Amino acid sequence: MKHIYIETLGCAKNTVYSEVMAGLLSSGDFSLTTDPQMAEVIIVNTCGFITAAKEESINTLLGYADYKESGHLELLIALGCLVQKYADELEEAMPEVDLFLGTTGYDHIVEIIRDYYQAGQPPIQVDTYWRLPDAKDYESRLVSTPGHYAYLSIAEGCNNRCSYCAIPDMQGPYRSRPMEDILAEAEAIVAQGTRELILIAQDTSYYGLDLYGKPQLAALLRKLCRVEGLEWIRLLYAYPDHISDELITCFKEEPKICNYIDMPLQHINDDILQSMRRHITKAEIEDIIHRFRTAIPDMVFRTTFITGYPGETEDQFAELLAFLKEAKLDRVGVFPYSQEDRTPAGQMTNQIPEEIREERAQVLMDDQFQIMQDKHRGAEGEERLVVVEEISPDIEGLYLTRSFGEAPDIDPFILLQAEAGAYQVGDTLKVRLTGVDEYDMVGELI
């Protein structure tokens, strides 16, 4: 029996792909291991989004290649976005890797590995067509996140074609999963004890447009709210151009939906947005935020911005800073622009020097840190339900928790000091917010 180790890099979508692979591989001729030194097969689920992610993927593969000498490794597999984009280049540069599989390789990984051992296989197996995995492939999915929450993928691919992004070339066109398949998977996951589902896709607000002729995210959310035992539904990666009054009303009327939305904006200047191919204007973005806050005063916004996009002037950057201070968004991630080949923006001649991109990112983050701290202080006195996310290994009785306003892995914690050993990861508690500790909030048990 071959022991298989899976290393997952990149976004939450990759986490789901690896979980599907783990489920498929955990039966029959294979056994999963958490120790790469003991694995005959290592699969690295790569990310190719930006330069830093590519470098991490390549370094990870090279690191595991050494296990052919120091461990039991027989077969090293690179899978996912990086391979889909650079398969030929990787094969030439990395002879240490035995198989290169694209983004559609994860759902027939069992057959690929069996064929390799039985008859040998070409080193590159990257599909040039795009499909959705069968619903049955998700049935055996092994959720790797803590038991109280799980990611729920509602679509594959992307149709947006933003000028700086190669994801459509790596993931293919947008492909919505049928609503009945999503609901069946949700019910199965919740039946195992999961209480929070986090909806993901490259663009969740686009959901259904390709399959049903119009966006159907609100309809899907309302059906998910009927799943018995499910307590929280959280929405990530909702592009603003398909956020409708129907969706905002759904948030307002359905108590299971967290008053939290991850809405990537990337910039606010109209000329930059147009060059980015974002299909939205500053006025429309401001209107969406206003409509959300009018309907749901405690709505928590998370977003991302890019600094130093080609041609970004000092005035355009100043406009972004001014918007940040006026909008007072709760959570903000900032990425210095990464020049990616095979993208329209990557071919532009008016590239901004890297040091300016980095400098602007730091200025934006410094301003946002103060905004976040002010918002946290403004929340002091609020009472919230929280879930225990981690227990500090260093400070006795320190629990790291989060409420409706925090997504796992990317947002601050609510720090809670209580009796050591009294609570476990996944427990739900009620706290009162009492202060701020750098990025995190502080709470006391009620």
Side-chain angles (χ1 to χ4, degrees), residues 215 218 240-249 291-292:
D241 42 318
H242 287 107
I243 290 178
S244 62
D245 286 335
E246 180 187 15
L247 183 61
I248 294 172
T249 300
R291 284 186 284 138
F292 256 123

Side-chain angles (χ1 to χ4, degrees), residues 177-382:
R177 294 179 62 193
M179 203 173 296
E180 57 270 22
D181 291 355
I182 298 171
L183 293 170
E185 185 185 5
E187 290 170 352
I189 293 174
V190 173
Q192 298 172 12
T194 296
R195 305 192 308 277
E196 177 182 0
L197 290 177
I198 304 173
L199 271 59
I200 57 171
Q202 188 59 37
D203 177 359
T204 51
S205 60
Y206 192 99
Y207 173 77
L209 184 59
D210 60 312
L211 194 60
Y212 304 109
K214 63 178 182 178
Q216 289 290 297
L217 180 58
L220 174 63
L221 286 169
R222 289 193 185 275
K223 289 181 181 294
L224 286 169
C225 288
R226 307 286 86 80
V227 174
E228 187 174 351
L230 181 59
E231 297 176 5
W232 280 356
I233 300 171
R234 190 180 302 276
L235 189 63
L236 300 187
Y237 316 139
Y239 281 42
D241 42 318
H242 287 107
I243 290 178
S244 62
D245 286 335
E246 180 187 15
L247 183 61
I248 294 172
T249 300
C250 181
F251 268 80
K252 181 179 180 180
E253 293 179 349
E254 296 289 354
K256 288 187 179 181
I257 302 176
C258 294
N259 292 343
Y260 176 106
I261 189 167
D262 180 322
M263 188 171 66
L265 299 179
Q266 310 308 5
H267 214 280
I268 202 65
N269 173 265
D270 283 339
D271 290 336
I272 294 289
L273 289 170
Q274 183 177 17
S275 179
M276 286 180 166
R277 302 180 181 176
R278 292 293 292 175
H279 311 298
I280 199 164
T281 66
K282 175 182 180 180
E284 290 168 334
I285 290 171
E286 292 174 331
D287 181 61
I288 290 169
I289 295 171
H290 173 74
R291 284 186 284 138
F292 256 123
R293 284 177 167 164
T294 299
I296 308 165
D298 64 346
M299 193 71 187
V300 172
F301 291 93
R302 175 175 179 81
T303 194
T304 50
F305 291 116
I306 295 172
T307 59
Y309 178 84
E312 182 189 55
T313 66
E314 289 288 352
D315 286 345
Q316 289 168 333
F317 177 64
E319 184 179 355
L320 179 57
L321 284 177
F323 169 79
L324 193 75
K325 294 174 182 177
E326 181 179 349
K328 293 182 170 55
L329 304 176
D330 303 84
R331 321 275 184 235
V332 174
V334 182
F335 297 93
Y337 168 75
S338 178
Q339 184 177 5
E340 301 300 318
D341 56 2
R342 308 180 197 178
T343 63
Q347 304 304 312
M348 293 178 181
T349 58
N350 52 350
Q351 301 290 325
I352 303 294
E354 184 175 357
E355 61 270 19
I356 295 179
R357 303 179 213 167
E358 298 278 355
E359 178 185 325
R360 289 177 181 177
Q362 189 59 54
V363 170
L364 200 67
M365 284 307 302
D366 288 346
D367 283 1
Q368 174 58 28
F369 178 73
Q370 187 59 55
I371 292 168
M372 183 188 68
Q373 282 206 325
D374 290 345
K375 292 192 73 95
H376 285 177
R377 291 190 181 95
E380 290 178 11
E382 287 184 15

Side-chain angles (χ1 to χ4, degrees), residues 23 35 50 84 104 159 162 190 194 204 281 293 326 335 404 429:
D35 183 359
I50 58 176
Q84 189 73 35
T104 57
N159 283 358
C162 298
V190 173
T194 296
T204 51
T281 66
R293 284 177 167 164
E326 181 179 349
F335 297 93
F404 76 91
L429 308 170

